[in-house]
Amino acid sequence: MIKYTNIRRIHIELTARCQAACPGCPRNVYGGYAIPDLDKTEWTAAEFRRSFTPEFLQQLDRILFCGNYGDPGICRELLPILRYIREHSDVEIVLHTNGGMRSTEFWYAVGTVLQHN
């Protein structure tokens, strides 16, 4: 059995949305239309704060944001979520994204939050 206090690494799916249509992606049909019943919800910063307390964040070694059904970079509240994590923990944050959905200014802001990774 896994104890809550033993969790050190976590993979979080922030969204099921993505602007790309990669041919091998399970969220669409061969790079074409999105699967019709795909849930397109995403985390909000408020939901994230309720689910991930400062105490829990402090026990983690690594947080991975990598989408199986969406790109974390497209999550509307990615930056507030990253700032919340950084405010409460020095956990390693890994962010996998194609980066094509936001401005240079946005990615610069993300880089400043993640700069000590």
Side-chain angles (χ1 to χ4, degrees):
M1 176 163 50
I2 297 174
K3 290 184 176 181
Y4 180 81
T5 55
N6 289 342
I7 298 171
R8 297 289 180 255
R9 293 179 174 207
I10 192 164
H11 173 179
I12 301 169
E13 298 281 330
L14 285 177
T15 183
R17 298 182 319 117
C18 184
Q19 94 294 357
C22 302
C25 179
R27 69 182 314 279
N28 62 56
V29 180
Y30 302 111
Y33 62 91
I35 296 170
D37 59 348
L38 182 65
D39 182 0
K40 301 217 177 59
T41 59
E42 66 183 32
W43 284 80
T44 66
E47 291 168 331
F48 192 90
R49 285 190 301 271
R50 279 193 304 273
S51 299
F52 296 92
T53 64
E55 296 78 22
F56 181 69
L57 291 173
Q58 289 168 12
Q59 84 180 34
L60 297 176
D61 297 325
R62 172 187 264 189
I63 298 174
L64 170 63
F65 292 111
C66 179
N68 289 320
Y69 285 98
D71 190 310
I74 210 164
C75 178
R76 291 177 188 98
E77 297 193 28
L78 174 62
L79 201 48
I81 290 169
L82 294 175
R83 286 180 176 143
Y84 170 76
I85 294 168
R86 191 51 69 225
E87 179 182 331
H88 296 287
S89 174
D90 63 353
V91 63
E92 177 186 16
I93 300 170
V94 179
L95 179 67
H96 289 212
T97 178
N98 66 45
M101 72 291 298
R102 301 287 191 122
S103 68
T104 304
E105 292 78 22
F106 174 82
W107 291 115
Y108 182 84
V110 169
T112 60
V113 173
L114 302 181
Q115 68 183 336
H116 87 276
N117 266 3

